[in-house]
Amino acid sequence: HNLLMMKMNLSRSLALALSSSTLTTVEGCSRVFQNKYDPKVSGRSMDWGFSFEDYLHINPRGQELDGGVGDSSVTWTSQYGSVTSSAAGFFMGENPKGASYGYVPPGAACTPTSFGDDLTTDGVNEAGLGAHLLYLGHEDGTEWVTEPSDEPIDISVARWIRYVLDNFATVDEAVTAMSGLKTRQEAVCRVDGDTEDELNGFVFGLHMAIEDATGDSAVVEHVGGVWQFYHNKDGLNTEVMTNDPTFDKHKEFLSQYEHWGGDKPLDDKHLPGGTNSPARFLRLEYLLHYTPEPKNSIEAIANVRSMINNSNVPFGAPYKDGVYPTWWTSFIDTQDKVYYFDWLYTPNMIWIRLEDIDWETLEAPLYLDPKHDIDLAGHVLCDFMTHDDEDPGLPVCNEEGDDEEGDDEEEGDEEEAGGPYLRQT
């Protein structure tokens, strides 16, 4: 199918927690950041009641964007290129549950969105700054600002990640800038809704984890209508994030256990194995405490991958009022600038090495559908296409085949041994 035709069905949306007929509360996702050793690696899972039919994007420098909430929106021009994933496929009708949903600010109607600009849930930029959007519901305290600001400082949560990755190289820069913004309330709605509730939409909540190549990390929440920043720089450990409750309550719960100042035993006999958010949070904190020092970048990814896999929710596993399995996982090597993506319905993990992208010459955004090609594997930069479904002619891809046969053999030997991503630590 052609992406341009699919984009005609895409409505302005956050795409978070919809069913075929009603808007429901759902939960999922876990994130962990290993920053004790080099390379510093993060991992996250995407757990939901259905697939968001996610896409991968390469976003160039120089894109002009805004906060997506009207005249009071903050505006910016992207300073850094990035690789991101988005939930756009859900709203292009690839999943029948998503064909008629949109995203609406108060008092407005569903309007077209921008493929790749909105709905971003995960990614990393060329400076090694990573960002991850996870669910934290309105029922758990998330509350947005309802009135527009008098100055251009408003932003939709649907563009949090693009704002962070487009503009900043470090966690400290991102936290400082976001503290001067306001997140406007918007709601998921049915474009062809029959009831007032469907047309007005339903408000959902999110929070964000960010990390950088120095090992700094932060959790960003918007509770009671105001920002809550939990930052390693302030003496907090923010390497793990799941869902409800709010981050401060997770840390209070954690403080009851050994290793974190409490007296409750926590070992292989007492470690909780449930799929709920507190159990996943505690399990990841415990595993992170014991993760070994990697010998190289391959082991660094494997260590984090093993932790995230331990927090994944199997297909069919009951969770509260439904089933919310893990659909994909991602991993970021913040120092080597590599983004790994593992769609669970395909057999192979794929990755994009950001340093292979010529950001000086890349002019247009690119995309890749990672879901349906079972042969897609390894470094997939040269599989990306323009939004017009044309070959972008990336320089690194055009260079393939130019080397002498002997050079190719040497390169093949290197890849067998771990390839360009095998960095000794």
Side-chain angles (χ1 to χ4, degrees):
H1 49 259
N2 187 284
L3 177 63
L4 292 180
M5 295 298 295
M6 294 167 64
K7 285 168 66 179
M8 294 175 64
N9 296 322
L10 184 60
S11 296
R12 176 85 173 85
S13 56
L14 179 58
L16 295 173
L18 307 178
S19 67
S20 57
S21 59
T22 60
L23 302 174
T24 60
T25 298
V26 297
E27 304 182 34
C29 309
S30 305
R31 172 263 192 180
V32 64
F33 180 39
Q34 186 287 111
N35 59 0
K36 293 189 292 185
Y37 312 112
D38 290 337
K40 296 171 175 61
V41 172
S42 66
R44 70 84 50 91
S45 63
M46 172 61 84
D47 311 339
W48 213 255
F50 48 80
S51 167
F52 282 122
E53 308 298 334
D54 304 77
Y55 277 80
L56 300 183
H57 306 267
I58 296 177
N59 309 297
R61 301 172 186 168
Q63 282 189 292
E64 295 184 358
L65 282 87
D66 61 50
V69 288
D71 294 340
S72 64
S73 294
V74 61
T75 60
W76 69 89
T77 301
S78 59
Q79 304 299 308
Y80 298 94
S82 63
V83 174
T84 57
S85 63
S86 82
F90 177 88
F91 283 85
M92 293 188 294
E94 292 186 25
N95 184 317
K97 294 180 179 181
S100 62
Y101 286 100
Y103 202 59
V104 56
C110 295
T111 54
T113 190
S114 176
F115 180 76
D117 298 340
D118 296 310
L119 321 176
T120 304
T121 57
D122 198 62
V124 61
N125 70 16
E126 58 179 297
L129 180 65
H132 321 272
L133 212 58
L134 280 67
Y135 182 77
L136 182 69
H138 182 72
E139 66 278 6
D140 301 311
T142 297
E143 184 179 336
W144 312 121
V145 175
T146 57
E147 297 298 326
S149 300
D150 294 331
E151 51 187 327
I153 58 171
D154 291 347
I155 190 169
S156 165
V157 69
R159 296 197 176 180
W160 271 12
I161 287 187
R162 281 304 306 267
Y163 176 75
V164 166
L165 299 185
D166 286 356
N167 291 294
F168 310 112
T170 67
V171 169
D172 196 43
E173 292 174 358
V175 167
T176 299
M178 290 192 77
S179 65
L181 303 182
K182 293 183 179 180
T183 302
R184 281 279 307 284
Q185 177 174 304
E186 293 183 297
V188 181
C189 61
R190 282 187 67 103
V191 176
D192 57 351
D194 297 323
T195 69
E196 184 175 346
D197 287 341
E198 289 176 341
L199 291 171
N200 291 339
F202 190 88
V203 178
F204 288 92
L206 296 156
H207 58 171
M208 179 172 63
I210 51 179
E211 71 273 340
D212 64 33
T214 72
D216 196 9
S217 174
V219 168
V220 180
E221 298 181 345
H222 207 276
V223 176
V226 296
W227 291 110
Q228 305 290 333
F229 296 103
Y230 304 96
H231 192 176
N232 278 21
K233 172 183 161 183
D234 299 324
L236 299 172
N237 294 320
T238 62
E239 290 80 14
V240 173
M241 188 177 84
T242 55
N243 310 112
D244 69 292
T246 53
F247 185 77
D248 57 334
K249 291 184 173 60
H250 272 300
K251 300 301 278 190
E252 289 177 10
F253 175 67
L254 189 67
S255 67
Q256 303 174 38
Y257 290 89
E258 296 173 346
H259 308 304
W260 298 280
D263 54 11
K264 284 188 177 181
L266 188 63
D267 52 30
D268 59 330
K269 295 179 181 179
H270 298 91
L271 191 64
T275 59
N276 65 75
S277 177
R280 286 182 280 115
F281 189 97
L282 182 58
R283 201 156 64 244
L284 285 173
E285 285 278 9
Y286 175 85
L287 296 172
L288 183 62
H289 181 80
Y290 288 105
T291 191
E293 182 174 2
K295 296 183 179 67
N296 51 54
S297 56
I298 297 299
E299 285 193 10
I301 294 296
N303 289 351
V304 174
R305 192 179 186 190
S306 67
M307 286 188 279
I308 282 293
N309 285 348
N310 191 273
S311 70
N312 286 350
V313 181
F315 291 103
Y319 182 33
K320 291 189 176 180
D321 59 344
V323 177
Y324 308 110
T326 300
W327 295 92
W328 56 262
T329 58
S330 70
F331 307 93
I332 296 172
D333 182 334
T334 63
Q335 292 170 301
D336 292 330
K337 284 79 172 179
V338 186
Y339 185 72
Y340 298 83
F341 190 86
D342 189 6
W343 182 261
L344 267 63
Y345 273 126
T346 57
N348 307 307
M349 188 159 71
I350 60 177
W351 58 83
I352 303 98
R353 184 178 175 88
L354 276 72
E355 291 183 349
D356 286 345
I357 301 171
D358 187 350
W359 298 107
E360 294 289 343
T361 61
L362 182 66
E363 296 182 352
L366 310 177
Y367 85 100
L368 174 69
D369 182 351
K371 303 181 295 295
H372 305 298
D373 184 355
I374 64 172
D375 294 322
L376 202 62
H379 194 201
V380 294
L381 175 60
C382 297
D383 292 289
F384 277 78
M385 305 293 284
T386 70
H387 287 190
D388 295 326
D389 290 323
E390 301 289 339
D391 183 347
L394 299 175
V396 68
C397 303
N398 293 335
E399 291 171 3
E400 290 184 0
D402 292 343
D403 296 333
E404 295 295 329
E405 182 177 348
D407 293 338
D408 289 342
E409 290 177 357
E410 291 179 7
E411 185 174 314
D413 292 341
E414 179 189 18
E415 291 185 359
E416 283 184 13
Y421 314 104
L422 184 61
R423 177 164 72 89
Q424 301 296 324
T425 57

XYZ file of all heavy atoms in Angstrom, residues 34 37-43 291-307 331-336 340 421-423 425:
291
model
N 20.711 1.262 31.943
C 21.941 0.789 32.561
C 23.011 1.851 32.349
O 23.495 2.038 31.232
C 22.371 -0.548 31.936
C 23.566 -1.220 32.596
C 24.887 -0.530 32.311
O 25.498 0.061 33.216
N 25.341 -0.577 31.058
N 27.966 1.238 33.597
C 29.098 0.838 32.766
C 28.936 1.398 31.362
O 27.833 1.741 30.935
C 29.184 -0.697 32.683
C 29.074 -1.406 34.004
C 27.956 -2.197 34.300
C 30.076 -1.292 34.960
C 27.852 -2.866 35.513
C 29.977 -1.955 36.177
C 28.864 -2.739 36.455
O 28.756 -3.390 37.651
N 30.056 1.463 30.647
C 30.021 1.841 29.237
C 29.914 0.586 28.364
O 30.512 -0.435 28.683
C 31.290 2.620 28.871
C 31.337 3.998 29.502
O 30.265 4.523 29.847
O 32.446 4.529 29.662
N 29.176 0.672 27.240
C 28.310 1.786 26.862
C 27.017 1.796 27.674
O 26.556 0.757 28.119
C 28.026 1.515 25.385
C 28.105 0.037 25.249
C 29.162 -0.409 26.216
N 26.481 2.975 27.832
C 25.259 3.167 28.614
C 24.053 2.894 27.717
O 23.897 3.527 26.675
C 25.243 4.569 29.203
C 26.392 4.784 30.196
C 26.532 6.219 30.630
C 27.597 6.354 31.714
N 28.934 5.925 31.286
N 23.212 1.960 28.140
C 22.166 1.420 27.274
C 20.813 1.478 27.970
O 20.692 1.127 29.143
C 22.480 -0.044 26.886
C 21.308 -0.683 26.151
C 23.749 -0.112 26.033
N 19.799 1.922 27.243
C 18.422 1.891 27.744
C 17.618 0.860 26.963
O 17.954 0.505 25.834
C 17.761 3.269 27.615
O 17.606 3.615 26.252
N 16.534 0.394 27.589
C 15.609 -0.510 26.919
C 14.198 -0.229 27.377
O 13.977 0.224 28.503
N 23.107 -6.377 37.472
C 23.558 -6.559 36.095
C 25.082 -6.498 36.022
O 25.716 -5.637 36.642
C 22.922 -5.503 35.161
O 23.171 -5.868 33.800
C 23.482 -4.122 35.398
N 25.728 -7.405 35.305
C 27.194 -7.447 35.270
C 27.777 -6.402 34.331
O 27.082 -5.863 33.460
C 27.475 -8.854 34.745
C 26.288 -9.172 33.880
C 25.111 -8.521 34.552
N 29.060 -6.123 34.504
C 29.752 -5.206 33.603
C 29.977 -5.896 32.266
O 30.524 -7.000 32.212
C 31.082 -4.773 34.199
C 31.828 -3.778 33.315
C 33.079 -3.231 33.965
O 33.393 -3.652 35.112
O 33.742 -2.389 33.336
N 29.553 -5.283 31.170
C 29.723 -5.922 29.858
C 31.158 -5.803 29.353
O 31.862 -4.847 29.660
C 28.767 -5.130 28.966
C 28.724 -3.767 29.580
C 28.858 -3.982 31.070
N 31.577 -6.796 28.568
C 32.913 -6.761 27.972
C 32.936 -5.912 26.704
O 33.989 -5.441 26.285
C 33.379 -8.177 27.651
C 33.549 -9.084 28.866
C 34.091 -10.437 28.429
C 34.305 -11.355 29.629
N 33.023 -11.736 30.276
N 31.779 -5.735 26.083
C 31.693 -4.982 24.834
C 30.253 -4.519 24.629
O 29.373 -4.797 25.457
C 32.169 -5.831 23.647
C 31.477 -7.186 23.616
O 30.253 -7.262 23.638
N 32.253 -8.263 23.571
N 30.009 -3.828 23.534
C 28.683 -3.258 23.289
C 27.628 -4.323 23.033
O 26.452 -4.126 23.357
C 28.744 -2.278 22.114
O 29.274 -2.914 20.960
N 28.027 -5.464 22.456
C 27.068 -6.548 22.238
C 26.555 -7.068 23.573
O 25.350 -7.276 23.771
C 27.715 -7.687 21.432
C 28.124 -7.189 20.036
C 26.748 -8.867 21.317
C 26.996 -6.686 19.180
N 27.461 -7.271 24.525
C 27.030 -7.718 25.848
C 26.199 -6.646 26.550
O 25.267 -6.963 27.301
C 28.238 -8.087 26.710
C 28.873 -9.408 26.340
C 29.860 -9.890 27.391
O 29.903 -9.289 28.489
O 30.583 -10.856 27.109
N 26.522 -5.385 26.336
C 25.758 -4.307 26.969
C 24.298 -4.341 26.521
O 23.379 -4.195 27.341
C 26.389 -2.957 26.640
N 24.069 -4.528 25.222
C 22.702 -4.642 24.710
C 22.038 -5.903 25.254
O 20.883 -5.892 25.677
C 22.702 -4.647 23.171
C 23.181 -3.301 22.621
C 21.303 -4.977 22.637
C 22.284 -2.132 22.944
N 22.776 -7.017 25.266
C 22.212 -8.277 25.735
C 21.795 -8.194 27.197
O 20.745 -8.733 27.590
C 23.226 -9.406 25.535
N 22.607 -7.519 28.019
C 22.272 -7.405 29.436
C 20.953 -6.667 29.639
O 20.091 -7.082 30.418
C 23.395 -6.679 30.180
C 24.646 -7.519 30.319
O 24.644 -8.709 30.014
N 25.729 -6.902 30.764
N 20.784 -5.547 28.946
C 19.551 -4.770 29.080
C 18.382 -5.503 28.436
O 17.257 -5.492 28.952
C 19.731 -3.362 28.479
C 18.414 -2.590 28.480
C 20.799 -2.593 29.255
N 18.654 -6.158 27.331
C 17.598 -6.921 26.670
C 17.066 -8.027 27.586
O 15.855 -8.278 27.634
C 18.142 -7.521 25.373
C 17.088 -8.090 24.442
C 17.730 -8.628 23.191
N 16.742 -9.066 22.212
C 17.029 -9.747 21.112
N 18.300 -10.037 20.844
N 16.079 -10.107 20.270
N 17.961 -8.667 28.323
C 17.518 -9.737 29.221
C 16.660 -9.177 30.354
O 15.718 -9.839 30.808
C 18.728 -10.488 29.783
O 19.506 -9.674 30.642
N 16.966 -7.966 30.822
C 16.139 -7.360 31.871
C 14.755 -6.999 31.352
O 13.733 -7.277 32.000
C 16.842 -6.118 32.431
C 18.018 -6.427 33.324
S 18.693 -4.956 34.148
C 19.706 -4.268 32.836
N 15.960 -0.740 22.160
C 17.169 -0.566 22.956
C 18.008 0.537 22.324
O 18.093 0.637 21.101
C 17.958 -1.874 23.038
C 17.121 -3.022 23.503
C 16.479 -3.849 22.582
C 16.903 -3.249 24.854
C 15.658 -4.885 22.994
C 16.086 -4.278 25.277
C 15.464 -5.102 24.347
N 18.602 1.369 23.173
C 19.396 2.491 22.688
C 20.788 2.425 23.291
O 20.936 2.431 24.518
C 18.746 3.833 23.055
C 17.395 3.994 22.366
C 19.674 5.003 22.693
C 16.604 5.211 22.836
N 21.787 2.331 22.440
C 23.174 2.516 22.862
C 23.438 4.017 22.754
O 23.638 4.544 21.663
C 24.103 1.720 21.941
C 25.571 1.814 22.346
O 25.956 2.816 22.977
O 26.336 0.887 22.007
N 23.402 4.712 23.881
C 23.464 6.171 23.870
C 24.835 6.698 23.472
O 24.943 7.851 23.040
C 23.103 6.742 25.253
O 24.065 6.306 26.217
C 21.714 6.290 25.681
N 25.872 5.883 23.615
C 27.223 6.362 23.315
C 27.651 6.026 21.888
O 28.326 6.817 21.239
C 28.206 5.792 24.340
C 27.963 6.388 25.728
C 28.747 5.691 26.815
O 28.608 4.495 27.038
N 29.581 6.447 27.515
N 27.259 4.844 21.393
C 27.544 4.502 19.995
C 26.445 4.969 19.056
O 26.564 4.824 17.842
C 27.736 3.000 19.848
C 29.001 2.525 20.546
O 29.960 3.314 20.632
O 29.021 1.373 21.025
N 17.964 0.056 18.386
C 17.557 -1.315 18.103
C 16.048 -1.435 18.293
O 15.487 -0.861 19.239
C 18.248 -2.289 19.060
C 19.749 -2.327 18.966
C 20.540 -1.382 19.630
C 20.399 -3.324 18.229
C 21.920 -1.421 19.559
C 21.793 -3.372 18.158
C 22.536 -2.417 18.821
O 23.908 -2.459 18.754
N 29.350 -2.655 15.485
C 28.746 -2.322 16.756
C 29.463 -2.980 17.928
O 29.089 -2.807 19.069
C 27.274 -2.740 16.762
C 26.623 -2.308 15.488
C 26.338 -3.215 14.482
C 26.403 -0.959 15.239
C 25.794 -2.798 13.289
C 25.870 -0.538 14.052
C 25.557 -1.454 13.071
O 25.046 -1.035 11.891
N 30.492 -3.785 17.656
C 31.216 -4.484 18.702
C 32.321 -3.574 19.241
O 33.408 -3.502 18.682
C 31.816 -5.783 18.179
C 32.527 -6.669 19.213
C 31.554 -7.091 20.283
C 33.128 -7.891 18.543
N 32.031 -2.853 20.300
C 33.011 -1.946 20.897
C 33.464 -2.514 22.217
O 32.678 -2.773 23.119
C 32.383 -0.566 21.125
C 33.306 0.425 21.804
C 32.781 1.840 21.636
N 31.598 2.087 22.433
C 31.629 2.537 23.691
N 32.778 2.750 24.296
N 30.516 2.782 24.346
N 34.905 -2.559 25.901
C 34.748 -1.583 26.979
C 35.828 -1.768 28.031
O 36.554 -2.755 28.019
C 33.375 -1.759 27.646
O 33.236 -3.077 28.133
C 32.273 -1.451 26.649
